Amino acid sequence: MNKVENKSEELFKELCNQQYLKGFVFHSPKYYDPTEKEAGDVVLWIRNYLIVFEIVWRNPSSQASTKSFIRRVSEKRKQLENDFKTYRDKQVLLINEESKRVEYSKDNFVDGNFAGVIIVDSDIELEEIHKKSYKKTLENNFSIATMTKNDFEDLLIEIDTIPDLLYYLKDRQDFLKSIYSHCPEKFINLNLQIERDIIALYKRKSNSFDQYTCDDFLVENIWDTYREEFKDKIEIRDSENIQTSMVDDLIDSLLKNPLENEIIPLRAWELGHFSRRERVMFSKKISDALNDSRNETRQFAFFNSSTGCWLVFYFQYNTDSEELLDNLQSMTNLKMIKEMQEKSFKYSVFGYGFNISNGEITINLIIEDAENNQSYTEKQYEESLKYFGKPQEHEIYEFTE
């Protein structure tokens, strides 16, 4: 790969870093079999969520036909198929945003949580992708999306977390697979910027393609119409989403300041596993708690449906910060006991403790695993009920009704 093409990869990596995807962007993935080989160009990775990008770049000064360039898209599809097997079966070395080498373990791999994206970076009009070639990208047992770099920039207007991007790519794959044979011409021409129309339809139905058909693409200006008709709702949504920046900042801090001997950033991963709208649900509660010193303490718990773990947020006010860790430990244990008693809980409880005193915030973090907490008393269970009630189920909506 020449140096100019590496610049394209670098630009794409920087694009990801500018969004809330930062902290989970990796590049230059390599593995040995037995010689050194590549496993993608750019990687988004958080715990068992993995999105691999293969970039196809066209030199503006090239005189070659765009047909030969488009054939490389098919080659990238085959490369993604190989990437899938590589991450499933091997250890892969990645480089993070701080230029540190990180090992991806195959133990993190989950078939249904892998997606591939082919990014086509070209400043000139392109030939159409061959219909059969595009169809093959929809026939894999994992999602493969083919889009231009401009398409991806459009996508990041509406999607800015790894969970949201993975959910979209998987739903997109199922949707296109169901309609492609009826209107392939809509998707094989990358010059149409169809991605913004696809994401517009998806957002109109609160992250769903339910009951859409090819006919829905016959309407002109789908993207612009969505942005205009939903203008007020989008403003409210974006305002709510901005409030979750405190969660993004906490994730960023946990990644940059790992605990001693912390090899895997589990605490950051657990928070990063929430979608943007899920973060809205508990960000307001965190904000309210940080600004409320009327009580001596405050706590709440939030269930992470994607990992099966619980998160306990504990707040204490104007007390000795040295007591925070002990109090957080006690509260996390009580939550663990309650879930084990009522639900035969087998996973982890993550504790995030905040001490607020004289305008300063001290944070402590712990993790409790169910396998290390097999014994407890009836008295401890009764005490847990004083602090944690019956879990409330919340519907997650893209837009506030």
Side-chain angles (χ1 to χ4, degrees):
M1 187 176 294
N2 58 48
K3 293 182 179 179
V4 181
E5 186 160 356
N6 279 329
K7 287 184 179 180
S8 177
E9 293 177 24
E10 182 68 22
L11 285 172
F12 182 71
K13 180 169 66 72
E14 290 176 2
L15 174 65
C16 291
N17 291 344
Q18 290 171 6
Q19 309 299 324
Y20 291 115
L21 301 172
K22 67 179 183 179
F24 304 109
V25 182
F26 302 85
H27 65 96
S28 305
K30 302 284 193 303
Y31 68 100
Y32 295 88
D33 187 28
T35 59
E36 185 179 88
K37 296 181 180 179
E38 293 185 352
D41 293 324
V42 177
V43 174
L44 299 180
W45 169 39
I46 176 170
R47 198 166 181 169
N48 58 10
Y49 287 176
L50 187 67
I51 304 173
V52 177
F53 294 82
E54 292 283 354
I55 301 173
V56 188
W57 180 82
R58 179 179 171 82
N59 190 328
S61 63
S62 173
Q63 299 298 315
S65 165
T66 59
K67 283 187 177 182
S68 60
F69 173 72
I70 283 295
R71 279 198 294 269
R72 294 173 56 197
V73 174
S74 296
E75 295 171 4
K76 289 298 186 179
R77 170 184 58 79
K78 295 175 183 176
Q79 181 60 50
L80 280 170
E81 292 169 354
N82 185 66
D83 293 341
F84 177 89
K85 297 174 184 176
T86 298
Y87 286 94
R88 182 191 63 191
D89 301 333
K90 301 182 183 299
Q91 309 297 100
V92 182
L93 297 176
L94 313 169
I95 297 178
N96 67 14
E97 297 158 29
E98 297 177 352
S99 299
K100 295 180 180 178
R101 194 173 290 274
V102 178
E103 183 177 80
Y104 175 90
S105 170
K106 61 184 180 181
D107 295 336
N108 293 305
F109 190 85
V110 175
D111 286 17
N113 291 342
F114 179 95
V117 182
I118 301 170
I119 295 292
V120 181
D121 190 355
S122 174
D123 293 328
I124 66 173
E125 190 165 313
L126 300 168
E127 298 282 343
E128 293 181 344
I129 300 173
H130 193 278
K131 291 181 181 179
K132 289 185 178 180
S133 177
Y134 195 98
K135 184 180 179 182
K136 287 181 179 179
T137 66
L138 302 176
E139 294 175 343
N140 281 280
N141 58 350
F142 63 93
S143 65
I144 296 180
T146 304
M147 64 185 74
T148 66
K149 186 178 177 183
N150 290 336
D151 285 331
F152 188 70
E153 290 173 342
D154 289 338
L155 197 58
L156 290 181
I157 295 173
E158 291 286 337
I159 293 177
D160 64 4
T161 74
I162 292 178
D164 285 306
L165 180 56
L166 182 63
Y167 301 155
Y168 169 72
L169 292 173
K170 292 169 66 175
D171 290 343
R172 177 190 186 278
Q173 181 87 351
D174 292 339
F175 172 53
L176 264 60
K177 189 182 297 184
S178 70
I179 69 169
Y180 178 73
S181 62
H182 304 291
C183 50
E185 68 282 352
K186 290 292 182 182
F187 309 106
I188 61 177
N189 187 347
L190 296 178
N191 305 301
L192 297 178
Q193 285 192 282
I194 192 68
E195 200 65 39
R196 57 167 54 188
D197 291 341
I198 299 175
I199 188 64
L201 294 175
Y202 187 65
K203 289 299 178 177
R204 289 183 77 99
K205 289 195 175 180
S206 193
N207 302 324
S208 172
F209 290 113
D210 185 42
Q211 296 184 353
Y212 281 130
T213 68
C214 286
D215 291 342
D216 292 289
F217 286 99
L218 298 177
V219 181
E220 294 184 358
N221 303 317
I222 296 174
W223 168 260
D224 293 335
T225 301
Y226 155 68
R227 297 291 293 183
E228 181 59 33
E229 290 184 358
F230 280 66
K231 181 180 178 180
D232 293 341
K233 290 184 177 182
I234 290 172
E235 287 181 357
I236 295 172
R237 178 201 64 183
D238 291 351
S239 176
E240 293 171 342
N241 287 352
I242 288 174
Q243 296 175 25
T244 68
S245 61
M246 66 176 65
V247 178
D248 299 322
D249 292 340
L250 179 56
I251 292 171
D252 191 45
S253 177
L254 293 173
L255 289 170
K256 291 180 177 178
N257 304 286
L259 299 179
E260 187 176 356
N261 299 322
E262 183 181 43
I263 299 175
I264 300 175
L266 290 176
R267 298 160 181 83
W269 276 359
E270 193 64 28
L271 289 170
H273 242 269
F274 287 104
S275 69
R276 180 61 61 196
R277 297 304 289 172
E278 285 177 317
R279 297 180 197 188
V280 169
M281 300 289 291
F282 62 84
S283 288
K284 187 178 186 306
K285 299 189 74 169
I286 294 177
S287 179
D288 290 345
L290 290 175
N291 294 290
D292 177 18
S293 57
R294 292 172 297 178
N295 303 309
E296 291 185 0
T297 63
R298 187 169 173 175
Q299 73 284 324
F300 70 90
F302 203 87
F303 182 66
N304 191 336
S305 59
S306 63
T307 66
C309 297
W310 278 93
L311 288 74
V312 169
F313 295 91
Y314 173 77
F315 306 84
Q316 62 181 37
Y317 308 91
N318 301 313
T319 55
D320 189 346
S321 61
E322 293 183 1
E323 298 177 6
L324 177 60
L325 185 59
D326 289 339
N327 294 338
L328 177 62
Q329 180 78 63
S330 175
M331 202 59 56
T332 305
N333 283 341
L334 289 174
K335 181 58 180 174
M336 174 71 75
I337 289 169
K338 183 177 187 297
E339 294 306 312
M340 292 180 67
Q341 172 70 19
E342 297 177 357
K343 300 290 179 64
S344 299
F345 187 67
K346 298 179 180 179
Y347 299 105
S348 301
V349 176
F350 289 74
Y352 300 83
F354 301 81
N355 185 78
I356 302 97
S357 180
N358 299 320
E360 295 186 358
I361 301 176
T362 303
I363 301 176
N364 271 114
L365 310 156
I366 60 173
I367 304 175
E368 285 295 323
D369 296 320
E371 62 183 19
N372 298 327
N373 291 268
Q374 294 298 315
S375 61
Y376 55 88
T377 65
E378 184 65 27
K379 184 178 180 180
Q380 287 176 307
Y381 171 63
E382 291 174 357
E383 185 180 2
S384 74
L385 299 178
K386 298 177 184 178
Y387 298 97
F388 301 104
K390 183 179 180 180
Q392 296 179 347
E393 294 186 3
H394 300 279
E395 290 286 339
I396 305 298
Y397 295 104
E398 182 69 16
F399 300 106
T400 303
E401 297 296 325

